[in-house]
Amino acid sequence: MTLNDAAVFVAVVQNGTFAGAAKDLRMPTSTVSRIVSRLEAHLGTQLLRRTTRSMALTDLGRQYFEEVEAAVQTLQDASSKLVQGKTEMVYRLRLIASPDVGTEILPEILVPFRAEHPNILVDVELTVTPPSLTGQKFDIAIWGGPLPSSNLIRVTLQNSDFGLFAAPAYLKKSDPLRSPLDLAKHSCILMRPEGRVPRWDLRGPEGTMKITPPPTFTANDIAFLRNMVLQGGGIGPLPIAMARRWEASGALTRVLPEYAMPGLPLYLLYPNRAFTSRPIETLKKTIRDWSRGL
């Protein structure tokens, strides 16, 4: 057995398939399978249960994976290639995020982070599948909204309420908006919830008002909703913290500012490892520091 055998086994588990590991490792699938079989023979136990359609860890395989994963990660960090002739090691981190987080939040975190840490390369993947269900290897995830239970470490970064926003050009040509009841006279852009009629539960001075405005558009993507509002398409709900930059620039105006809607949590997630590299811890700290400034 070599350390490479353990690294190949870890790649198979992290990818969920032999073919996925082979693609990551740039070697034939048959070679990956042979290396894992050689490792099992050396250890004298079966690590993976294989069928023609699935693969699963045995109890001993899971124990072995948990013990060697961090060590393999450390070796991979130490073996990172030099980039552009620099004498400093370049570390590659894999970050997963939901699409709205990726487009609205990550750039303001990662651009200054990269400027301060040029030796850390962040490989970002945006996905609609929660991190615990992707089956992909990653170091850090940032996720907005509900999450299924998992073994991932979960840190709540913020719970940002939603406010109602519109472009000044839209408000200039529209009827006055003095109370939530006036929304019936306006073009409204709504997020489309699963399995129920879109509704705005507006918390205000007199309690919560449940409003079902006539939608001009409905969508399941907050970036689309935001752009429709910016283009003057109507009034729509946006996370208050996210909308501050457009409000400050004059591109958006908050309407009915005394009313807000419950927001969705924003999470920082990462695998439960006995050891994590310094670059991973550095990025995690940067993300937590960013959230405290909101």
Side-chain angles (χ1 to χ4, degrees):
M1 184 196 79
T2 67
L3 290 175
N4 183 62
D5 294 353
V8 170
F9 168 70
V10 168
V12 170
V13 176
Q14 289 174 335
N15 281 276
T17 64
F18 283 87
K23 183 177 179 181
D24 264 8
L25 298 170
R26 299 182 180 179
M27 61 176 61
T29 303
S30 58
T31 301
V32 172
S33 179
R34 186 170 64 252
I35 290 173
V36 172
S37 296
R38 182 172 68 198
L39 177 62
E40 290 176 320
H42 174 82
L43 296 173
T45 188
Q46 185 180 13
L47 301 174
L48 296 170
R49 295 191 189 91
R50 310 165 180 81
T51 68
T52 55
R53 295 187 177 182
S54 65
M55 179 195 78
L57 283 166
T58 63
D59 290 342
L60 289 175
R62 182 174 301 279
Q63 178 182 340
Y64 183 73
F65 171 74
E66 291 174 351
E67 291 177 355
V68 302
E69 182 191 23
V72 168
Q73 179 66 47
T74 302
L75 288 171
Q76 290 173 341
D77 289 345
S79 301
S80 297
K81 294 180 179 179
L82 298 179
V83 173
Q84 297 178 352
K86 295 180 180 179
T87 58
E88 190 175 6
M89 299 294 288
V90 174
Y91 299 88
R92 178 173 176 263
L93 307 184
R94 301 179 73 170
L95 187 152
I96 288 179
S98 49
D100 52 338
V101 170
T103 56
E104 305 296 339
I105 293 175
L106 280 186
E108 67 180 85
I109 297 175
L110 295 182
V111 170
F113 175 81
R114 176 66 176 177
E116 187 173 351
H117 304 282
N119 63 316
I120 302 178
L121 171 65
V122 184
D123 182 357
V124 177
E125 175 157 351
L126 305 184
T127 175
V128 296
T129 305
S132 60
L133 303 179
T134 62
Q136 297 184 37
K137 173 187 174 184
F138 69 94
D139 299 302
I140 294 174
I142 307 181
W143 196 263
L147 283 168
S149 59
S150 72
N151 293 325
L152 297 174
I153 303 297
R154 180 186 306 189
V155 178
T156 301
L157 296 174
Q158 62 165 274
N159 281 284
S160 178
D161 283 347
F162 280 66
L164 296 178
F165 292 86
Y170 169 82
L171 294 174
K172 186 176 181 179
K173 66 181 182 182
S174 302
D175 292 336
L177 186 59
R178 299 185 178 89
S179 85
L181 297 178
D182 293 330
L183 289 167
K185 305 173 186 176
H186 284 263
S187 298
C188 296
I189 307 169
L190 283 70
M191 287 292 290
R192 183 175 66 248
E194 294 293 336
R196 60 184 177 87
V197 176
R199 188 182 72 190
W200 290 345
D201 294 343
L202 298 173
R203 298 192 314 251
E206 300 177 358
T208 299
M209 296 184 66
K210 300 181 185 298
I211 303 294
T212 306
T216 304
F217 301 97
T218 60
N220 66 344
D221 181 77
I222 197 167
F224 171 83
L225 187 151
R226 179 211 62 201
N227 287 330
M228 291 296 293
V229 173
L230 283 168
Q231 292 299 318
I235 297 170
L238 294 172
I240 294 170
M242 183 188 298
R244 283 175 186 156
R245 74 184 77 169
W246 294 289
E247 197 174 7
S249 70
L252 289 179
T253 299
R254 187 173 176 188
V255 300
L256 302 174
E258 65 273 26
Y259 290 90
M261 289 179 281
L264 297 174
L266 180 68
Y267 295 112
L268 167 67
L269 303 111
Y270 46 91
N272 186 4
R273 294 171 178 160
F275 171 81
T276 55
S277 66
R278 181 173 296 179
I280 294 174
E281 291 299 325
T282 301
L283 181 53
K284 283 158 56 174
K285 181 180 183 301
T286 298
I287 294 169
R288 288 193 296 265
D289 289 346
W290 166 85
S291 70
R292 294 188 189 104
L294 296 176

